[in-house]
Amino acid sequence: QQNKGIAGATNTGIAAAEKGLIILMDDDIIPFETHIEQHLGRHREYPGAIFCGTAETAPQANAGKLNAYKIYMEESWNRNAFGNRTGLIRLSPECFTVSAANMSFASETYEQLGAFDETLRDCQDFEFGLRALKKNIPLYFDRHIRTIHNDEFTLSYFARRQRSYQLHSVKVLERYPEYKSNFNIQPPPKALLKRFVYRFLSRKGVVHFVEHSALFQLLPKAFRYRVYGSTLAALSFAPDAA
């Protein structure tokens, strides 16, 4: 078929499937042996709900210190989103994380909600989740439904993904203004000093040094992580990251 992006591919796959439980995974996701059993069990307990599980970056011996930084970021996001809560978490506008990288729902729920939006080249799962909230379809995040995300992480690649997600998030939230206040979309920096720093950090030579220099890797972890975060922010607002 014509390339319709992730949303179009997902809708095509669901249309070809038999009625029953739909389990979605990204192409770089590695499930555990009990993956299907876990999703099925949750749907027996909570029929008609949508479930999302984890997509965890695995420690990789030869991936360098950026791999460890990505794991650190994921742990920080989870703490900010869920605090000390573990296990099954009912999602709401105040506590919301939805990803089709590890998601399941009944085919009847999909028919009730409608297809993933093929006009979106990103954030199609975010929009799908907000649509479910608006229609009072229960959404859950289950930390026990774990998968491994076999992702090759670079600052430049992740920044482009972050920038794309941010731009599409703004577009999605224009459709759901009632949820806008629950999501913090960072605007480009206005302060001259910050803009200068971001412009410097987004230069290719600087990014290459931060990612690959053995000298930089010798610096204290707290400093390196701060530079990684600032470089990601700088690249996220760089024009060529859109």
Side-chain angles (χ1 to χ4, degrees):
Q1 67 176 28
Q2 177 188 355
N3 187 339
K4 298 179 180 179
I6 295 174
T10 304
N11 291 332
T12 298
I14 293 173
E18 296 180 4
K19 300 291 182 182
L21 182 64
I22 306 296
I23 300 177
L24 305 179
M25 285 189 296
D26 281 358
D27 60 354
D28 54 3
I29 293 293
I30 302 171
F32 289 88
E33 289 183 1
T34 58
H35 187 72
I36 295 175
E37 180 184 340
Q38 286 179 299
H39 275 288
L40 282 169
R42 282 306 189 190
H43 283 276
R44 282 192 288 266
E45 293 178 84
Y46 302 91
I50 297 172
F51 287 90
C52 294
T54 72
E56 305 164 20
T57 299
Q60 297 175 21
N62 300 318
K65 294 185 178 180
L66 272 176
N67 176 253
Y69 174 68
K70 186 166 187 282
I71 294 171
Y72 163 80
M73 280 199 305
E74 290 173 359
E75 291 171 349
S76 299
W77 289 334
N78 284 331
R79 281 196 301 272
N80 291 335
F82 306 122
N84 294 323
R85 285 176 288 180
T86 59
L88 189 64
I89 299 167
R90 175 76 180 262
L91 299 180
S92 67
E94 295 73 32
C95 177
F96 189 83
T97 176
V98 171
S99 172
N102 181 5
M103 175 188 281
S104 66
F105 44 79
S107 55
E108 293 81 7
T109 303
Y110 176 78
E111 291 170 1
Q112 181 182 351
L113 264 178
F116 285 86
D117 188 342
E118 296 182 10
T119 67
L120 295 170
R121 287 289 170 148
D122 206 337
C123 289
Q124 67 286 339
D125 42 9
F126 178 56
E127 192 278 333
F128 191 77
L130 290 182
R131 210 187 316 161
L133 281 183
K134 192 163 186 176
K135 294 192 175 185
N136 295 314
I137 292 175
L139 281 163
Y140 291 96
F141 180 80
D142 190 345
R143 280 182 164 178
H144 295 304
I145 306 179
R146 300 175 58 219
T147 62
I148 298 300
H149 187 191
N150 191 23
D151 185 26
E152 292 189 17
F153 178 72
T154 68
L155 292 176
S156 301
Y157 171 76
F158 188 73
R160 286 195 297 273
R161 291 286 301 114
Q162 208 171 30
R163 178 62 171 159
S164 174
Y165 194 87
Q166 185 180 48
L167 292 171
H168 285 81
S169 293
V170 171
K171 187 186 297 186
V172 168
L173 289 170
E174 287 173 356
R175 306 179 191 177
Y176 301 93
E178 65 270 37
Y179 299 131
K180 250 184 182 179
S181 62
N182 299 111
F183 300 94
N184 184 23
I185 306 297
Q186 293 291 333
K190 294 182 179 179
L192 285 176
L193 179 59
K194 197 167 189 178
R195 286 165 59 187
F196 172 79
V197 171
Y198 275 19
R199 191 171 299 165
F200 172 76
L201 288 174
S202 62
R203 294 172 64 89
K204 288 183 179 179
V206 175
V207 175
H208 187 271
F209 176 81
V210 170
E211 286 190 318
H212 301 292
S213 168
L215 180 63
F216 183 78
Q217 303 306 319
L218 295 175
L219 296 173
K221 184 171 79 169
F223 178 79
R224 281 189 291 103
Y225 280 18
R226 187 159 188 174
V227 174
Y228 287 152
S230 297
T231 305
L232 275 175
L235 288 168
S236 296
F237 290 112
D240 62 351

